[in-house]
């Protein structure tokens, strides 16, 4: 278990170095997309790859 100091340091690091994006999917309307994303070994990496690909296309 993390000490209070470790938790504080981790929280500070996340606040300073990371950004979180959240989006919601409707279980019925987006079932195909949900299933596809759940089949990916790394959802965040997959989404980042798609964004980077679109960024390259727009240059």
């Amino acid at each position: 278990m993390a000490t209070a100091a470790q938790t504080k340091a981790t929280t500070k690091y996340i606040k300073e170095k990371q950004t979180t994006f959240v989006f919601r999917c409707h279980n019925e309307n987006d079932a195909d997309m949900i299933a596809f994303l759940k089949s990916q070994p790394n959802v965040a990496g997959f989404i980042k790859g798609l964004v980077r690909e679109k960024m390259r296309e727009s240059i």
Side-chain angles (χ1 to χ4, degrees):
M1 185 165 175
T3 65
Q6 288 170 324
T7 301
K8 184 178 177 181
T10 299
T11 301
K12 180 181 179 203
Y13 177 86
I14 291 170
K15 185 176 180 180
E16 291 176 357
K17 306 288 185 189
Q18 297 180 343
T19 300
T20 301
F21 293 95
V22 177
F23 72 96
R24 298 181 192 278
C25 297
H26 190 276
N27 288 338
E28 294 171 5
N29 297 340
D30 299 325
D32 57 339
M33 184 169 53
I34 293 167
F36 180 78
L37 288 172
K38 283 185 173 183
S39 75
Q40 299 304 307
N42 179 348
V43 175
F46 177 76
I47 293 171
K48 287 178 184 180
L50 290 176
V51 171
R52 290 187 196 286
E53 183 179 319
K54 282 294 189 185
M55 288 170 59
R56 282 191 297 274
E57 289 175 7
S58 66
I59 294 175

